[in-house]
Amino acid sequence: MSRSKAAAVLLAAAVLLGGCSRQAGSQQNEMILEETLEAPEKANYKTAVVERGNFTKEVAGSGSVVYPVQAELRWTEGSVRFDEFYVTSGTEVSKGDVLARFTTEENQVALEEKQLALERAQRDFTLGKQQRQDQIKQAEAALNGLSSYEARIQALNIQKLQSQYDQYVYQTEYSLAAQQEEIQKLQSQISETVLVAPFDGIVDSVVSFNQGDKVDQSQVLVTMYASDRLLISAEDAEGAYRYNMPVTVQIGNNDEVETYTGRVISASNILPAALKQGQALIELDGKLDPALAKRKVAVTGNDVDLHNVLLVNRSAIKKDESRRYVYVLDGETVKKRYVVEGENNMSTTWILDGLTEGQTLILD
């Protein structure tokens, strides 16, 4: 019997069954429908068998290298003028390395003023000591020829002069030491007018400056990133990447390509709507050579990864309005069987309902 005749038989049967209750019709619509056709005696079908197996669906896209730990370095310790940079873009630095040096005009002027004041105070101190020592010597010389009573009075005067001298020396030396300490603090501040690296890393960019230019406290002078950790950012506008999904990352240009494995550590499907940015972050299993950081990045992974599910050749699936169906070859009989499909990849369809393992399907 041909397929057209079989369809006519089915139509007639449907007319005869038209008196069935609405409830029975409703139940029938909920079932997986099947039509039976008689296969031609000498048909030469191309077929495939329904099997159980593993189903994967690949997602692929471009990406880029990103560094989660970054720093924008500014000078915020007062008004300074630029002196010199010690790094350029791409320079590897260690924590504490000097990146740039500046001069502080206010501190330099204050330092010179205090140094001059100290010099004057030291000269005055030398002169003051000499004058007081001369007074003591003159008083001691005046002892000669004095009576016993006058000598005792003069001795007391000498002791008083000596005490005044000692007090003058003590107080002046204390004052000079305080001035010297202030000078040392200013010198330390001037010597520490440098920008240093906050961590081990690589300099990304350096602002352009001429020596003597005034530095604005809001201006970013150096940008750098920590070199001990990097991530791959993959475009994920459709949310195809899953958290903890294994991926393969290829980095390089033309024939010079390095292949890495990694896992998704941040994906849109686990983030609140307000934080979704259409990107997935991937952590590599191995360490990436920093020289490859700015080269082309390609990411692939399995968006769907199922095990022991029903699989059919994708070309066996036909479309009837909004439903899907297959032709099942059962001996000399062909059955049109409606199915519920899951996911598709390039060659295979995952079947949720309507078929059993081992059935033979017609592909053409």
Side-chain angles (χ1 to χ4, degrees):
M1 182 186 296
S2 67
R3 292 186 183 178
S4 59
K5 290 181 179 180
V9 172
L10 288 172
L11 179 60
V15 172
L16 292 175
L17 294 174
C20 296
S21 67
R22 291 184 179 180
Q23 181 178 2
S26 175
Q27 292 175 348
Q28 185 178 10
N29 289 337
E30 295 175 358
M31 297 171 60
I32 299 296
L33 300 180
E34 179 180 275
E35 298 177 5
T36 301
L37 307 173
E38 184 176 338
E41 294 181 359
K42 295 184 179 181
N44 185 18
Y45 293 116
K46 185 177 181 181
T47 62
V49 177
V50 180
E51 298 177 330
R52 284 195 172 274
N54 300 331
F55 178 87
T56 59
K57 184 177 180 181
E58 185 179 78
V59 57
S62 61
S64 60
V65 176
V66 296
Y67 296 87
V69 180
Q70 301 185 23
E72 294 182 341
L73 306 181
R74 300 172 175 83
W75 181 262
T76 59
E77 301 298 324
S79 178
V80 297
R81 292 188 179 274
F82 172 72
D83 186 21
E84 182 180 5
F85 276 123
Y86 295 94
V87 295
T88 59
S89 178
T91 302
E92 293 189 36
V93 296
S94 299
K95 181 178 180 180
D97 283 354
V98 176
L99 308 179
R101 186 177 297 277
F102 312 96
T103 57
T104 307
E105 294 179 342
E106 293 84 352
N107 285 354
Q108 188 65 41
V109 171
L111 175 62
E112 292 176 359
E113 290 176 346
K114 289 184 179 297
Q115 286 175 332
L116 289 174
L118 177 61
E119 290 176 3
R120 288 195 297 267
Q122 288 173 333
R123 288 196 300 268
D124 292 343
F125 179 46
T126 300
L127 181 60
K129 286 196 299 181
Q130 186 63 49
Q131 290 174 343
R132 286 164 176 76
Q133 288 172 349
D134 290 344
Q135 289 177 350
I136 293 172
K137 289 179 180 179
Q138 291 174 2
E140 290 174 342
L143 284 172
N144 297 327
L146 296 178
S147 64
S148 175
Y149 174 76
E150 291 174 339
R152 289 174 60 190
I153 297 298
Q154 186 65 8
L156 290 174
N157 185 42
I158 293 172
Q159 290 179 4
K160 181 179 179 181
L161 291 173
Q162 185 65 50
S163 176
Q164 290 174 344
Y165 172 81
D166 292 341
Q167 185 176 10
Y168 169 74
V169 170
Y170 173 79
Q171 291 177 341
T172 305
E173 286 181 343
Y174 181 84
S175 176
L176 293 174
Q179 288 179 270
Q180 185 64 48
E181 185 177 353
E182 290 180 2
I183 289 173
Q184 290 174 349
K185 286 182 179 179
L186 279 174
Q187 289 174 331
S188 177
Q189 290 175 3
I190 292 174
S191 66
E192 291 176 358
T193 311
V194 292
L195 190 67
V196 299
F199 45 71
D200 295 348
I202 299 175
V203 174
D204 188 42
S205 65
V206 176
V207 73
S208 177
F209 261 137
N210 294 319
Q211 190 174 31
D213 285 349
K214 190 171 183 179
V215 178
D216 191 320
Q217 294 187 16
S218 64
Q219 186 172 16
V220 176
L221 306 177
V222 177
T223 60
M224 61 175 294
Y225 50 83
S227 55
D228 59 346
R229 190 182 186 210
L230 58 80
L231 301 174
I232 302 298
S233 175
E235 297 180 5
D236 189 27
E238 298 181 359
Y241 291 93
R242 307 183 319 276
Y243 175 73
N244 207 36
M245 183 174 91
V247 295
T248 299
V249 178
Q250 291 186 315
I251 303 177
N253 300 323
N254 301 325
D255 296 334
E256 298 180 0
V257 176
E258 296 288 339
T259 301
Y260 299 84
T261 58
R263 287 187 176 274
V264 176
I265 62 171
S266 177
S268 295
N269 66 339
I270 63 170
L271 295 176
L275 298 179
K276 295 182 186 295
Q277 297 181 345
Q279 294 180 329
L281 293 179
I282 298 163
E283 187 168 44
L284 299 179
D285 295 330
K287 187 174 182 180
L288 175 67
D289 182 353
L292 300 175
K294 294 186 178 181
R295 296 188 181 181
K296 183 179 178 181
V297 178
V299 181
T300 57
N302 290 329
D303 176 24
V304 179
D305 190 1
L306 303 172
H307 300 272
N308 194 31
V309 294
L310 284 178
L311 304 175
V312 301
N313 189 304
R314 186 172 181 176
S315 60
I317 306 296
K318 316 298 180 187
K319 184 176 181 181
D320 181 5
E321 295 180 352
S322 61
R323 296 187 296 179
R324 301 291 189 272
Y325 65 91
V326 297
Y327 287 116
V328 180
L329 182 61
D330 185 8
E332 296 183 356
T333 303
V334 176
K335 297 180 179 180
K336 181 180 179 181
R337 183 74 174 172
Y338 287 94
V339 297
V340 179
E341 63 179 3
E343 294 280 352
N344 295 288
N345 59 26
M346 296 297 293
S347 61
T348 306
T349 297
W350 162 36
I351 297 298
L352 298 176
D353 197 8
L355 295 174
T356 58
E357 184 180 3
Q359 289 181 303
T360 301
L361 306 183
I362 298 174
L363 301 183
D364 53 8

